[in-house]
Amino acid sequence: MRHSEEEEEEEEEALDDWFIDSLKTYTDLHVYELEQATRVLEWTSQTTVCVAGFSASKNQILELSLPLRLLAQQNKGLCAERDFKVVHGGFSDTPIHSFKHIPGTRCAVSSGGQSCSLLLWDLGGDDTDVIKRTGQIKVKCESSAGRDGEDGADGGDREDREVGAEWSRGRQMAAPPSQSSEPRILHGATTNDVQLTDINTGKQLYTIQEVITPVQCQSPSPVSTSSGDGAFVCGSVNGSVLEADSRSPAPPTCHPAPSVRSPAPTSSAPWSMDACGGLVVRSRASGQTVVSDLRRMDSCVAQALVSASDGKNRGSLNVSWSPALQHHIALSGVSGLVQIHNTSLWGAELQAAHAQFEHRGHVVSSPEDDVITTSHAWHPERPRTLLSAASDASVHVWDWNHQSESSE
């Protein structure tokens, strides 16, 4: 009992120390507690974000507005409002593992569990605060073999209970911007199952026809090109990258995974990928992180060995480029931390790199011993503002002070 009391005192001291330190290291820091943990942090505007639960039972979908104090351009001390506000809300009877807002609309698409169907949602407007389901898109996919051909909720829920925290299952999605007026969704569960679908009609606009060895899909990403908006890349958990163009009959190009440079015990760790501005970043829990140029995927622009994991092999690594802070990436998902790295400081040879900034708020403030980050999202315009969520159902929005950055 005494040992427990000593541990509690140490935890309180650590929290106090971090809080005092945070006054210098953060420009803004706000905390919100959900009823359920979320792996969805989806921007619907510059000031609102959607969250959604992924449990086997009923799940909340909420659209939250950011704290007004965070958004204040000046005289923040005069703005007393520090809380998130629920703007719209609804419920889903199935787990939501992926949720994408369609740009320029009040519509969203969700995916969850092992279901091949995509669910459509109306996010509400000025006349209603209810988020409601408006339909579904039944998708023919390789991963549906042997399962119910309907929405797959029962099978998906049963599978979810079996896999526990293996959150990367389900169809991965991206909502590419379109020059046409027809909203579209890019989605896939494996690399031979990636499709582009018209949301209004459910019509399949593009699918990969090549017979290739299916690998679990990870983070499909539209790629901007000078000729239009049909190009995309799709990462896989084995580190390979599929590059395709929905406007072309040519087969997709498959770029192999980076050569393994990490210790053998963790060499089987899955890869996470993101693409932005012609650059692709691939990272894994073992720490190996590689930046490549889409025009020369056979070479390495920069790489580093980072320490994103705490060694407990939990969760699923997430890596993402900042849309507003050049060369910067965020890593989360395999510990309670969110790490920020500046890849412009890396070289072509593999060397250890320290995080430029670490958000430790979920670790020091959580009642859970093994809290883990479930998602993070960069603000689309504010360079150093991020949202992060954790397994204890906490959501943090924070803006770190650039003067607190460490040199790698």
Side-chain angles (χ1 to χ4, degrees):
M1 183 68 179
R2 182 177 178 180
H3 179 66
S4 176
E5 291 178 352
E6 290 177 351
E7 286 183 338
E8 289 181 1
E9 289 179 359
E10 291 177 357
E11 291 174 357
E12 290 179 359
E13 289 179 1
L15 179 58
D16 291 341
D17 291 342
W18 175 80
F19 177 76
I20 293 173
D21 190 51
S22 71
L23 298 176
K24 298 178 293 183
T25 55
Y26 293 89
T27 304
D28 284 288
L29 174 61
H30 303 270
V31 176
Y32 189 76
E33 298 294 331
L34 300 172
E35 291 187 8
Q36 301 167 304
T38 181
R39 70 182 304 262
V40 169
L41 292 172
E42 177 68 7
W43 294 102
T44 54
S45 73
Q46 303 296 323
T47 61
T48 53
V49 63
C50 271
V51 298
F54 56 90
S55 67
S57 57
K58 202 169 189 178
N59 293 282
Q60 279 190 327
I61 305 173
L62 301 176
E63 185 179 34
L64 306 174
S65 64
L66 298 182
L68 294 179
R69 186 183 178 95
L70 173 74
L71 302 174
Q73 297 297 319
Q74 54 187 352
N75 295 328
K76 288 180 179 287
L78 300 179
C79 184
E81 186 56 73
R82 298 179 56 90
D83 295 331
F84 288 81
K85 294 293 184 182
V86 177
V87 183
H88 298 90
F91 290 94
S92 171
D93 292 327
T94 59
I96 296 180
H97 290 186
S98 184
F99 190 89
K100 293 299 175 184
H101 170 243
I102 306 304
T105 75
R106 289 294 294 166
C107 300
V109 183
S110 73
S111 168
Q114 293 293 291
S115 172
C116 279
S117 291
L118 305 178
L119 304 184
L120 306 179
W121 301 89
D122 182 341
L123 298 178
D126 295 336
D127 57 339
T128 178
D129 59 2
V130 177
I131 297 175
K132 59 183 179 181
R133 177 175 161 179
T134 58
Q136 71 173 355
I137 299 174
K138 294 183 179 180
V139 182
K140 293 181 180 180
C141 58
E142 293 293 329
S143 58
S144 63
R147 285 195 298 275
D148 192 333
E150 300 301 321
D151 67 6
D154 291 340
D157 289 358
R158 183 168 57 252
E159 184 73 6
D160 289 344
R161 287 192 293 270
E162 292 172 358
V163 301
E166 192 176 348
W167 299 316
S168 60
R169 291 179 178 268
R171 299 190 69 76
Q172 304 301 303
M173 301 189 299
S178 176
Q179 294 179 349
S180 67
S181 59
E182 301 300 326
R184 306 168 303 166
I185 191 75
L186 181 67
H187 55 98
T190 62
T191 47
N192 66 343
D193 181 35
V194 180
Q195 304 170 36
L196 184 66
T197 302
D198 185 298
I199 291 176
N200 290 336
T201 64
K203 180 181 178 181
Q204 188 180 91
L205 303 176
Y206 173 83
T207 185
I208 291 177
Q209 300 289 347
E210 291 296 294
V211 179
I212 59 177
T213 302
V215 180
Q216 186 178 340
C217 179
Q218 207 280 335
S219 301
S221 299
V223 177
S224 299
T225 65
S226 58
S227 59
D229 58 358
F232 68 90
V233 294
C234 179
S236 64
V237 293
N238 70 357
S240 62
V241 173
L242 205 66
E243 184 179 5
D245 194 324
S246 62
R247 303 159 299 182
S248 171
T253 301
C254 186
H255 304 288
S259 57
V260 176
R261 300 291 299 277
S262 54
T266 55
S267 61
S268 61
W271 291 85
S272 176
M273 184 218 76
D274 193 26
C276 181
L279 292 178
V280 173
V281 61
R282 286 171 283 184
S283 186
R284 63 199 319 190
S286 59
Q288 185 180 5
T289 304
V290 179
V291 178
S292 306
D293 189 320
L294 265 176
R295 298 167 297 181
R296 298 182 297 274
M297 287 293 287
D298 57 340
S299 62
C300 170
V301 174
Q303 61 179 326
L305 191 63
V306 303
S307 55
S309 172
D310 56 10
K312 297 181 180 180
N313 297 320
R314 302 169 295 150
S316 179
L317 183 70
N318 302 310
V319 60
S320 66
W321 287 107
S322 167
L325 194 60
Q326 194 174 22
H327 303 301
H328 284 69
I329 61 171
L331 293 165
S332 71
V334 287
S335 71
L337 306 176
V338 182
Q339 292 188 342
I340 308 298
H341 288 267
N342 182 355
T343 63
S344 69
L345 303 178
W346 300 353
E349 296 298 322
L350 186 68
Q351 293 183 345
H354 299 289
Q356 191 171 41
F357 185 82
E358 278 189 343
H359 177 58
R360 300 178 58 247
H362 294 289
V363 175
V364 298
S365 62
S366 176
E368 296 183 5
D369 292 332
D370 289 328
V371 66
I372 186 171
T373 51
T374 52
S375 184
H376 73 260
W378 294 88
H379 191 278
E381 290 188 354
R382 297 168 63 102
R384 290 179 171 79
T385 300
L386 286 92
L387 277 163
S388 56
S391 55
D392 61 355
S394 63
V395 173
H396 295 182
V397 60
W398 40 282
D399 190 326
W400 83 91
N401 188 338
H402 69 91
Q403 294 180 348
S404 65
E405 296 173 356
S406 64
S407 58
E408 298 201 32

